[in-house]
Amino acid sequence: MILFGSKSIFAANVAQELTPRYARMTKVKETSTRQHNKAKRKITCPLTYAVNKIAGHWKLIIIKELRGGPLRYYELRKSMPDISEKVLIQQLKQLQTDEIVIRRAVEVIPPEVSYELSDSGKELTEVLDVMAAWGRRESKRQNDKEHTMG
């Protein structure tokens, strides 16, 4: 680093001093009241609990794809070309952890891995059908509103 007078030295010292403090500030304080209330809300509010299980753009699409029955990994990947492999794997693992999706692996070469909805996941599709119907009605209402205004 080239220093030009005392101002550059001051700026370098300030940057060094502030960087560690800023890095510490970005961490989530696990013992904060906000974190406590957030965790409590997850447990006590059934709606928050349910939304947390299906939160994320791709989880709903994965569930929709699996509602027709078990799919091998490559079939699921092919049916969702816009998702990256990394995100698909992450979302599938989260759905497995939440017991919405079941992963079945047959130990052969090459390995055969398939995914299917658990009983809980199948039950969830009924709720998603109602949400989709609401989305279609609301979308149509919004489109009709925009066409009458324009």
Side-chain angles (χ1 to χ4, degrees):
M1 180 170 138
I2 300 172
L3 301 177
F4 296 101
S6 62
K7 288 184 181 179
S8 295
I9 293 170
F10 174 76
N13 287 338
V14 169
Q16 283 180 329
E17 188 64 30
L18 290 179
T19 302
R21 226 180 277 156
Y22 176 74
R24 283 193 301 266
M25 288 176 17
T26 59
K27 291 182 182 179
V28 174
K29 185 178 174 186
E30 298 297 329
T31 58
S32 72
T33 303
R34 183 176 184 279
Q35 292 301 318
H36 172 74
N37 290 340
K38 188 175 173 183
K40 188 175 178 182
R41 194 170 51 250
K42 279 184 187 178
I43 296 168
T44 59
C45 177
L47 186 57
T48 301
Y49 178 84
V51 168
N52 284 333
K53 295 291 182 182
I54 59 171
H57 175 74
W58 295 108
K59 285 183 182 179
L60 296 174
I61 296 170
I62 291 168
I63 293 167
K64 179 183 96 39
E65 292 297 328
L66 292 175
R67 69 184 303 160
L71 289 175
R72 303 257 316 256
Y73 176 80
Y74 74 88
E75 294 171 319
L76 191 56
R77 176 79 174 97
K78 197 178 350 176
S79 70
M80 300 169 32
D82 294 335
I83 189 172
S84 71
E85 195 163 340
K86 176 186 172 196
V87 171
L88 178 57
I89 291 168
Q90 287 173 340
Q91 299 290 283
L92 284 168
K93 284 182 180 180
Q94 288 174 5
L95 288 166
Q96 284 175 254
T97 301
D98 291 337
E99 298 179 355
I100 294 171
V101 167
I102 299 169
R103 179 183 187 270
R104 301 207 189 275
V106 179
E107 295 189 24
V108 294
I109 299 176
E112 290 181 20
V113 177
S114 64
Y115 295 89
E116 63 184 288
L117 292 176
S118 65
D119 289 339
S120 178
K122 290 174 186 171
E123 187 178 348
L124 183 58
T125 62
E126 297 170 18
V127 174
L128 297 179
D129 287 342
V130 173
M131 288 175 65
W134 176 83
R136 282 190 293 277
R137 287 190 310 272
E138 190 63 19
S139 174
K140 183 180 181 327
R141 186 187 69 75
Q142 190 67 32
N143 284 338
D144 292 347
K145 182 179 173 184
E146 288 172 6
H147 282 75
T148 58
M149 295 176 88

